[in-house]
Amino acid sequence: MISDLLTEAEQKMEMAVDHVGSEFATVRTGRANPQLLHRITVEYYGSPTPLQQLASIAVPEPRMLVVQPFDKSTVTGIERAIQQADLGLNPSNDGSVIRIAFPPLTEERRRDLIKLVKHMAEEGRVSVRNIRRHSKTDMEALHGEISDDDIRRGEDELQKLTDRFIERIDRLMGNKEEELLEV
């Protein structure tokens, strides 16, 4: 029973760390990254549609993204959606392709982005701790069914698991900070 709870907690913590990693991917650095555009939705025939479903995104140069719509009539809608996404990018289109040049980040913008990354990491750590708290409550609910020693061992194992996943989040945050500070 304890092992089932630990397995479930580990899976949830893994998902939390993956989520933090995908959140970090949406933070703009000096380099072009197609994942930056994954959150953008475009108004397409009256319904919001994810950008990836309307266009292919390529990285021809380290500081440029090229968005090639599958339907040429969506070029202006895609360009408008990218501008409204408040990513600090200015797309330009030539009628069939949208080019997004990544200007170098200013020192002030880098500091703001690092604060944002730290906030995202803290949300991830809180999420992992919440998973630990729920699992610990579930273990304590088994009090009459299994021995106190087994519950205590399970809680110790749960704490080790939590520490491991928080360390992974911290490592991801350190990598992202390094990437942001890179000139």
Side-chain angles (χ1 to χ4, degrees):
M1 293 174 121
I2 295 274
S3 63
D4 293 342
L5 290 173
L6 287 171
T7 303
E8 181 183 350
E10 184 174 13
Q11 290 171 346
K12 288 179 179 178
M13 288 178 186
E14 185 70 46
M15 288 170 42
V17 170
D18 289 345
H19 179 74
V20 169
S22 67
E23 289 287 307
F24 284 173
T26 63
V27 175
R28 179 172 95 82
T29 60
R31 284 187 239 127
N33 183 352
Q35 284 188 321
L36 190 61
L37 303 179
H38 281 282
R39 284 191 177 167
I40 295 178
T41 55
V42 180
E43 193 70 27
Y44 184 61
Y45 290 110
S47 65
T49 309
L51 178 62
Q52 309 82 281
Q53 293 179 8
L54 297 175
S56 65
I57 304 168
V59 185
E61 300 171 22
R63 291 191 179 266
M64 181 175 288
L65 283 178
V66 174
V67 180
Q68 184 152 21
F70 302 128
D71 179 4
K72 303 290 184 223
S73 66
T74 61
V75 171
T76 55
I78 291 173
E79 184 178 22
R80 191 176 317 111
I82 292 170
Q83 287 171 338
Q84 291 172 347
D86 194 31
L87 297 172
L89 301 173
N90 290 318
S92 63
N93 87 51
D94 62 6
S96 61
V97 175
I98 298 171
R99 287 181 175 74
I100 305 168
F102 281 68
L105 293 172
T106 63
E107 189 64 31
E108 181 182 344
R109 183 69 179 144
R110 288 176 198 275
R111 298 292 169 204
D112 290 344
L113 290 173
I114 287 174
K115 285 179 189 172
L116 176 67
V117 165
K118 286 182 178 180
H119 178 72
M120 290 174 173
E122 184 55 34
E123 286 179 354
R125 287 191 289 264
V126 167
S127 176
V128 169
R129 289 185 199 117
N130 284 338
I131 294 166
R132 178 192 63 199
R133 184 170 38 87
H134 291 299
S135 295
K136 188 173 191 256
T137 304
D138 292 345
M139 283 181 194
E140 289 169 352
L142 298 172
H143 183 65
E145 300 174 38
I146 58 176
S147 71
D148 289 345
D149 288 343
D150 287 342
I151 291 174
R152 197 169 2 271
R153 275 192 287 277
E155 288 174 352
D156 290 345
E157 200 59 41
L158 184 63
Q159 185 59 47
K160 289 177 187 171
L161 203 61
T162 303
D163 293 342
R164 194 175 83 218
F165 280 100
I166 286 178
E167 182 184 317
R168 281 182 53 194
I169 289 173
D170 290 343
R171 205 171 26 241
L172 284 172
M173 181 184 71
N175 292 343
K176 191 63 176 185
E177 278 185 47
E178 229 175 74
E179 196 176 312
L180 283 166
L181 291 173
E182 190 176 289
V183 179

